[in-house]
PDB file of all heavy atoms in Angstrom:
ATOM      1  N   ASP A  16       0.849  -1.184   0.001  1.00  0.00           N
ATOM      2  CA  ASP A  16       0.001   0.001  -0.001  1.00  0.00           C
ATOM      3  C   ASP A  16       0.891   1.242  -0.001  1.00  0.00           C
ATOM      4  O   ASP A  16       1.714   1.416   0.907  1.00  0.00           O
ATOM      5  CB  ASP A  16      -0.902  -0.041   1.234  1.00  0.00           C
ATOM      6  CG  ASP A  16      -1.692   1.232   1.424  1.00  0.00           C
ATOM      7  OD1 ASP A  16      -2.141   1.811   0.412  1.00  0.00           O
ATOM      8  OD2 ASP A  16      -1.859   1.660   2.585  1.00  0.00           O
ATOM      9  N   ARG A  17       0.734   2.088  -1.016  1.00  0.00           N
ATOM     10  CA  ARG A  17       1.608   3.253  -1.168  1.00  0.00           C
ATOM     11  C   ARG A  17       1.553   4.169   0.052  1.00  0.00           C
ATOM     12  O   ARG A  17       2.576   4.699   0.490  1.00  0.00           O
ATOM     13  CB  ARG A  17       1.272   4.018  -2.438  1.00  0.00           C
ATOM     14  CG  ARG A  17       2.260   5.134  -2.713  1.00  0.00           C
ATOM     15  CD  ARG A  17       1.972   5.868  -4.013  1.00  0.00           C
ATOM     16  NE  ARG A  17       2.967   6.879  -4.254  1.00  0.00           N
ATOM     17  CZ  ARG A  17       4.085   6.692  -4.939  1.00  0.00           C
ATOM     18  NH1 ARG A  17       4.341   5.524  -5.471  1.00  0.00           N
ATOM     19  NH2 ARG A  17       4.956   7.674  -5.108  1.00  0.00           N
ATOM     20  N   ASP A  18       0.376   4.362   0.623  1.00  0.00           N
ATOM     21  CA  ASP A  18       0.260   5.221   1.803  1.00  0.00           C
ATOM     22  C   ASP A  18       1.059   4.648   2.971  1.00  0.00           C
ATOM     23  O   ASP A  18       1.699   5.386   3.720  1.00  0.00           O
ATOM     24  CB  ASP A  18      -1.204   5.389   2.212  1.00  0.00           C
ATOM     25  CG  ASP A  18      -1.988   6.255   1.243  1.00  0.00           C
ATOM     26  OD1 ASP A  18      -1.353   7.025   0.478  1.00  0.00           O
ATOM     27  OD2 ASP A  18      -3.226   6.174   1.239  1.00  0.00           O
ATOM     28  N   ALA A  19       1.028   3.332   3.126  1.00  0.00           N
ATOM     29  CA  ALA A  19       1.789   2.689   4.202  1.00  0.00           C
ATOM     30  C   ALA A  19       3.290   2.845   3.968  1.00  0.00           C
ATOM     31  O   ALA A  19       4.060   3.053   4.921  1.00  0.00           O
ATOM     32  CB  ALA A  19       1.415   1.216   4.319  1.00  0.00           C
ATOM     33  N   VAL A  20       3.726   2.738   2.715  1.00  0.00           N
ATOM     34  CA  VAL A  20       5.147   2.921   2.395  1.00  0.00           C
ATOM     35  C   VAL A  20       5.566   4.347   2.716  1.00  0.00           C
ATOM     36  O   VAL A  20       6.609   4.580   3.356  1.00  0.00           O
ATOM     37  CB  VAL A  20       5.435   2.584   0.918  1.00  0.00           C
ATOM     38  CG1 VAL A  20       6.888   2.890   0.571  1.00  0.00           C
ATOM     39  CG2 VAL A  20       5.119   1.133   0.613  1.00  0.00           C
ATOM     40  N   GLU A  21       4.775   5.321   2.305  1.00  0.00           N
ATOM     41  CA  GLU A  21       5.119   6.719   2.556  1.00  0.00           C
ATOM     42  C   GLU A  21       5.132   7.021   4.054  1.00  0.00           C
ATOM     43  O   GLU A  21       5.994   7.753   4.541  1.00  0.00           O
ATOM     44  CB  GLU A  21       4.159   7.637   1.808  1.00  0.00           C
ATOM     45  CG  GLU A  21       4.382   7.584   0.307  1.00  0.00           C
ATOM     46  CD  GLU A  21       3.364   8.368  -0.489  1.00  0.00           C
ATOM     47  OE1 GLU A  21       2.390   8.891   0.104  1.00  0.00           O
ATOM     48  OE2 GLU A  21       3.549   8.470  -1.711  1.00  0.00           O
ATOM     49  N   GLU A  22       4.198   6.422   4.786  1.00  0.00           N
ATOM     50  CA  GLU A  22       4.172   6.608   6.236  1.00  0.00           C
ATOM     51  C   GLU A  22       5.402   5.969   6.883  1.00  0.00           C
ATOM     52  O   GLU A  22       5.992   6.520   7.812  1.00  0.00           O
ATOM     53  CB  GLU A  22       2.865   6.013   6.792  1.00  0.00           C
ATOM     54  CG  GLU A  22       2.578   6.386   8.225  1.00  0.00           C
ATOM     55  CD  GLU A  22       3.011   5.292   9.176  1.00  0.00           C
ATOM     56  OE1 GLU A  22       2.983   4.116   8.782  1.00  0.00           O
ATOM     57  OE2 GLU A  22       3.388   5.612  10.295  1.00  0.00           O
ATOM     58  N   ALA A  23       5.828   4.807   6.373  1.00  0.00           N
ATOM     59  CA  ALA A  23       7.037   4.155   6.882  1.00  0.00           C
ATOM     60  C   ALA A  23       8.270   5.009   6.604  1.00  0.00           C
ATOM     61  O   ALA A  23       9.154   5.130   7.471  1.00  0.00           O
ATOM     62  CB  ALA A  23       7.196   2.772   6.251  1.00  0.00           C
ATOM     63  N   ILE A  24       8.336   5.603   5.434  1.00  0.00           N
ATOM     64  CA  ILE A  24       9.463   6.483   5.094  1.00  0.00           C
ATOM     65  C   ILE A  24       9.524   7.645   6.078  1.00  0.00           C
ATOM     66  O   ILE A  24      10.591   7.972   6.621  1.00  0.00           O
ATOM     67  CB  ILE A  24       9.356   6.981   3.640  1.00  0.00           C
ATOM     68  CG1 ILE A  24       9.576   5.819   2.667  1.00  0.00           C
ATOM     69  CG2 ILE A  24      10.340   8.121   3.377  1.00  0.00           C
ATOM     70  CD1 ILE A  24       9.188   6.128   1.233  1.00  0.00           C
ATOM     71  N   ASP A  25       8.386   8.270   6.343  1.00  0.00           N
ATOM     72  CA  ASP A  25       8.327   9.390   7.278  1.00  0.00           C
ATOM     73  C   ASP A  25       8.789   8.952   8.674  1.00  0.00           C
ATOM     74  O   ASP A  25       9.571   9.638   9.333  1.00  0.00           O
ATOM     75  CB  ASP A  25       6.902   9.952   7.326  1.00  0.00           C
ATOM     76  CG  ASP A  25       6.796  11.188   8.182  1.00  0.00           C
ATOM     77  OD1 ASP A  25       7.572  12.137   7.961  1.00  0.00           O
ATOM     78  OD2 ASP A  25       5.940  11.205   9.094  1.00  0.00           O
ATOM     79  N   PHE A  26       8.305   7.785   9.112  1.00  0.00           N
ATOM     80  CA  PHE A  26       8.715   7.246  10.416  1.00  0.00           C
ATOM     81  C   PHE A  26      10.229   7.041  10.462  1.00  0.00           C
ATOM     82  O   PHE A  26      10.901   7.442  11.424  1.00  0.00           O
ATOM     83  CB  PHE A  26       7.998   5.917  10.678  1.00  0.00           C
ATOM     84  CG  PHE A  26       8.537   5.156  11.858  1.00  0.00           C
ATOM     85  CD1 PHE A  26       8.033   5.372  13.127  1.00  0.00           C
ATOM     86  CD2 PHE A  26       9.561   4.222  11.705  1.00  0.00           C
ATOM     87  CE1 PHE A  26       8.541   4.683  14.230  1.00  0.00           C
ATOM     88  CE2 PHE A  26      10.068   3.530  12.785  1.00  0.00           C
ATOM     89  CZ  PHE A  26       9.561   3.759  14.053  1.00  0.00           C
ATOM     90  N   LEU A  27      10.779   6.397   9.442  1.00  0.00           N
ATOM     91  CA  LEU A  27      12.209   6.076   9.419  1.00  0.00           C
ATOM     92  C   LEU A  27      13.075   7.324   9.389  1.00  0.00           C
ATOM     93  O   LEU A  27      14.162   7.352   9.986  1.00  0.00           O
ATOM     94  CB  LEU A  27      12.525   5.173   8.231  1.00  0.00           C
ATOM     95  CG  LEU A  27      11.966   3.756   8.312  1.00  0.00           C
ATOM     96  CD1 LEU A  27      12.023   3.079   6.952  1.00  0.00           C
ATOM     97  CD2 LEU A  27      12.706   2.937   9.356  1.00  0.00           C
ATOM     98  N   MET A  28      12.626   8.363   8.690  1.00  0.00           N
ATOM     99  CA  MET A  28      13.403   9.606   8.630  1.00  0.00           C
ATOM    100  C   MET A  28      13.480  10.285   9.994  1.00  0.00           C
ATOM    101  O   MET A  28      14.442  10.995  10.285  1.00  0.00           O
ATOM    102  CB  MET A  28      12.797  10.560   7.600  1.00  0.00           C
ATOM    103  CG  MET A  28      13.037  10.111   6.181  1.00  0.00           C
ATOM    104  SD  MET A  28      14.812  10.069   5.806  1.00  0.00           S
ATOM    105  CE  MET A  28      14.775  10.161   4.035  1.00  0.00           C
ATOM    106  N   ARG A  29      12.496  10.062  10.849  1.00  0.00           N
ATOM    107  CA  ARG A  29      12.485  10.655  12.195  1.00  0.00           C
ATOM    108  C   ARG A  29      13.090   9.737  13.250  1.00  0.00           C
ATOM    109  O   ARG A  29      13.408  10.180  14.355  1.00  0.00           O
ATOM    110  CB  ARG A  29      11.044  10.991  12.605  1.00  0.00           C
ATOM    111  CG  ARG A  29      10.387  12.077  11.804  1.00  0.00           C
ATOM    112  CD  ARG A  29       9.035  12.502  12.378  1.00  0.00           C
ATOM    113  NE  ARG A  29       8.282  11.443  13.010  1.00  0.00           N
ATOM    114  CZ  ARG A  29       7.374  10.665  12.413  1.00  0.00           C
ATOM    115  NH1 ARG A  29       7.114  10.842  11.139  1.00  0.00           N
ATOM    116  NH2 ARG A  29       6.728   9.728  13.074  1.00  0.00           N
ATOM    117  N   GLN A  30      13.242   8.458  12.926  1.00  0.00           N
ATOM    118  CA  GLN A  30      13.684   7.458  13.896  1.00  0.00           C
ATOM    119  C   GLN A  30      15.184   7.583  14.186  1.00  0.00           C
ATOM    120  O   GLN A  30      16.003   7.508  13.277  1.00  0.00           O
ATOM    121  CB  GLN A  30      13.384   6.056  13.354  1.00  0.00           C
ATOM    122  CG  GLN A  30      13.947   4.916  14.167  1.00  0.00           C
ATOM    123  CD  GLN A  30      13.315   4.803  15.547  1.00  0.00           C
ATOM    124  OE1 GLN A  30      12.137   5.030  15.724  1.00  0.00           O
ATOM    125  NE2 GLN A  30      14.127   4.446  16.520  1.00  0.00           N
ATOM    126  N   PRO A  31      15.566   7.766  15.465  1.00  0.00           N
ATOM    127  CA  PRO A  31      17.004   7.784  15.770  1.00  0.00           C
ATOM    128  C   PRO A  31      17.582   6.372  15.689  1.00  0.00           C
ATOM    129  O   PRO A  31      16.864   5.388  15.901  1.00  0.00           O
ATOM    130  CB  PRO A  31      17.063   8.313  17.206  1.00  0.00           C
ATOM    131  CG  PRO A  31      15.719   8.039  17.787  1.00  0.00           C
ATOM    132  CD  PRO A  31      14.730   8.033  16.648  1.00  0.00           C
ATOM    133  N   PRO A  32      18.859   6.257  15.379  1.00  0.00           N
ATOM    134  CA  PRO A  32      19.492   4.933  15.352  1.00  0.00           C
ATOM    135  C   PRO A  32      19.419   4.261  16.718  1.00  0.00           C
ATOM    136  O   PRO A  32      19.460   4.923  17.756  1.00  0.00           O
ATOM    137  CB  PRO A  32      20.944   5.243  14.972  1.00  0.00           C
ATOM    138  CG  PRO A  32      20.887   6.564  14.284  1.00  0.00           C
ATOM    139  CD  PRO A  32      19.777   7.322  14.957  1.00  0.00           C
ATOM    140  N   LEU A  33      19.314   2.948  16.687  1.00  0.00           N
ATOM    141  CA  LEU A  33      19.229   2.138  17.893  1.00  0.00           C
ATOM    142  C   LEU A  33      20.334   1.086  17.887  1.00  0.00           C
ATOM    143  O   LEU A  33      20.801   0.683  16.824  1.00  0.00           O
ATOM    144  CB  LEU A  33      17.874   1.430  17.977  1.00  0.00           C
ATOM    145  CG  LEU A  33      16.648   2.327  18.130  1.00  0.00           C
ATOM    146  CD1 LEU A  33      15.385   1.501  17.977  1.00  0.00           C
ATOM    147  CD2 LEU A  33      16.674   3.044  19.465  1.00  0.00           C
ATOM    148  N   PRO A  34      20.732   0.604  19.061  1.00  0.00           N
ATOM    149  CA  PRO A  34      21.739  -0.462  19.100  1.00  0.00           C
ATOM    150  C   PRO A  34      21.177  -1.751  18.521  1.00  0.00           C
ATOM    151  O   PRO A  34      19.953  -1.952  18.498  1.00  0.00           O
ATOM    152  CB  PRO A  34      22.059  -0.613  20.586  1.00  0.00           C
ATOM    153  CG  PRO A  34      20.920   0.001  21.312  1.00  0.00           C
ATOM    154  CD  PRO A  34      20.310   1.034  20.404  1.00  0.00           C
ATOM    155  N   PRO A  35      22.046  -2.620  18.052  1.00  0.00           N
ATOM    156  CA  PRO A  35      21.577  -3.890  17.487  1.00  0.00           C
ATOM    157  C   PRO A  35      20.984  -4.798  18.547  1.00  0.00           C
ATOM    158  O   PRO A  35      21.336  -4.713  19.725  1.00  0.00           O
ATOM    159  CB  PRO A  35      22.836  -4.500  16.881  1.00  0.00           C
ATOM    160  CG  PRO A  35      23.951  -3.892  17.653  1.00  0.00           C
ATOM    161  CD  PRO A  35      23.510  -2.514  18.041  1.00  0.00           C
ATOM    162  N   LEU A  36      20.084  -5.660  18.124  1.00  0.00           N
ATOM    163  CA  LEU A  36      19.548  -6.707  18.983  1.00  0.00           C
ATOM    164  C   LEU A  36      20.555  -7.849  19.001  1.00  0.00           C
ATOM    165  O   LEU A  36      21.044  -8.273  17.956  1.00  0.00           O
ATOM    166  CB  LEU A  36      18.209  -7.204  18.439  1.00  0.00           C
ATOM    167  CG  LEU A  36      17.100  -6.158  18.377  1.00  0.00           C
ATOM    168  CD1 LEU A  36      15.945  -6.670  17.533  1.00  0.00           C
ATOM    169  CD2 LEU A  36      16.644  -5.783  19.775  1.00  0.00           C
ATOM    170  N   LYS A  37      20.865  -8.327  20.181  1.00  0.00           N
ATOM    171  CA  LYS A  37      21.815  -9.434  20.295  1.00  0.00           C
ATOM    172  C   LYS A  37      21.081 -10.746  20.034  1.00  0.00           C
ATOM    173  O   LYS A  37      19.967 -10.953  20.528  1.00  0.00           O
ATOM    174  CB  LYS A  37      22.448  -9.444  21.679  1.00  0.00           C
ATOM    175  CG  LYS A  37      23.294  -8.233  21.940  1.00  0.00           C
ATOM    176  CD  LYS A  37      23.854  -8.212  23.327  1.00  0.00           C
ATOM    177  CE  LYS A  37      24.615  -6.913  23.543  1.00  0.00           C
ATOM    178  NZ  LYS A  37      24.948  -6.726  24.946  1.00  0.00           N
ATOM    179  N   PRO A  38      21.692 -11.637  19.289  1.00  0.00           N
ATOM    180  CA  PRO A  38      21.046 -12.933  19.031  1.00  0.00           C
ATOM    181  C   PRO A  38      21.017 -13.792  20.282  1.00  0.00           C
ATOM    182  O   PRO A  38      21.966 -13.786  21.072  1.00  0.00           O
ATOM    183  CB  PRO A  38      21.922 -13.559  17.944  1.00  0.00           C
ATOM    184  CG  PRO A  38      23.240 -12.883  18.067  1.00  0.00           C
ATOM    185  CD  PRO A  38      22.991 -11.510  18.611  1.00  0.00           C
ATOM    186  N   ASP A  39      19.919 -14.491  20.473  1.00  0.00           N
ATOM    187  CA  ASP A  39      19.769 -15.389  21.613  1.00  0.00           C
ATOM    188  C   ASP A  39      19.249 -16.723  21.091  1.00  0.00           C
ATOM    189  O   ASP A  39      18.180 -16.755  20.451  1.00  0.00           O
ATOM    190  CB  ASP A  39      18.796 -14.796  22.632  1.00  0.00           C
ATOM    191  CG  ASP A  39      18.702 -15.643  23.882  1.00  0.00           C
ATOM    192  OD1 ASP A  39      17.931 -16.631  23.876  1.00  0.00           O
ATOM    193  OD2 ASP A  39      19.408 -15.328  24.857  1.00  0.00           O
ATOM    194  N   ASP A  40      19.978 -17.802  21.349  1.00  0.00           N
ATOM    195  CA  ASP A  40      19.588 -19.094  20.792  1.00  0.00           C
ATOM    196  C   ASP A  40      18.296 -19.633  21.395  1.00  0.00           C
ATOM    197  O   ASP A  40      17.566 -20.375  20.756  1.00  0.00           O
ATOM    198  CB  ASP A  40      20.729 -20.115  20.890  1.00  0.00           C
ATOM    199  CG  ASP A  40      21.225 -20.339  22.306  1.00  0.00           C
ATOM    200  OD1 ASP A  40      20.899 -19.543  23.210  1.00  0.00           O
ATOM    201  OD2 ASP A  40      21.965 -21.317  22.508  1.00  0.00           O
ATOM    202  N   ARG A  41      17.963 -19.223  22.621  1.00  0.00           N
ATOM    203  CA  ARG A  41      16.691 -19.661  23.224  1.00  0.00           C
ATOM    204  C   ARG A  41      15.504 -18.986  22.553  1.00  0.00           C
ATOM    205  O   ARG A  41      14.483 -19.623  22.292  1.00  0.00           O
ATOM    206  CB  ARG A  41      16.703 -19.390  24.727  1.00  0.00           C
ATOM    207  CG  ARG A  41      17.820 -20.149  25.458  1.00  0.00           C
ATOM    208  CD  ARG A  41      18.088 -19.568  26.821  1.00  0.00           C
ATOM    209  NE  ARG A  41      18.520 -18.177  26.696  1.00  0.00           N
ATOM    210  CZ  ARG A  41      18.688 -17.347  27.718  1.00  0.00           C
ATOM    211  NH1 ARG A  41      18.441 -17.760  28.945  1.00  0.00           N
ATOM    212  NH2 ARG A  41      19.092 -16.120  27.534  1.00  0.00           N
TER     213      ARG A  41
END
C-alpha cells in the first residue's frame, strides 16, 4: 500500500538509530 510505504518512510526519517539486537539461541 503506497500510503503505508510513505508513512514508513516518514517514520524512518524521524527514527534515531538504535543499538543492534543481540542474538539469543533460546
Side-chain angles (χ1 to χ4, degrees):
D16 172 38
R17 187 177 182 91
D18 289 340
V20 175
E21 290 174 354
E22 192 262 330
I24 291 167
D25 185 53
F26 169 89
L27 291 165
M28 288 298 201
R29 293 188 326 268
Q30 172 66 37
L33 295 171
L36 298 167
K37 295 177 184 169
D39 185 277
D40 57 346
R41 299 163 299 172

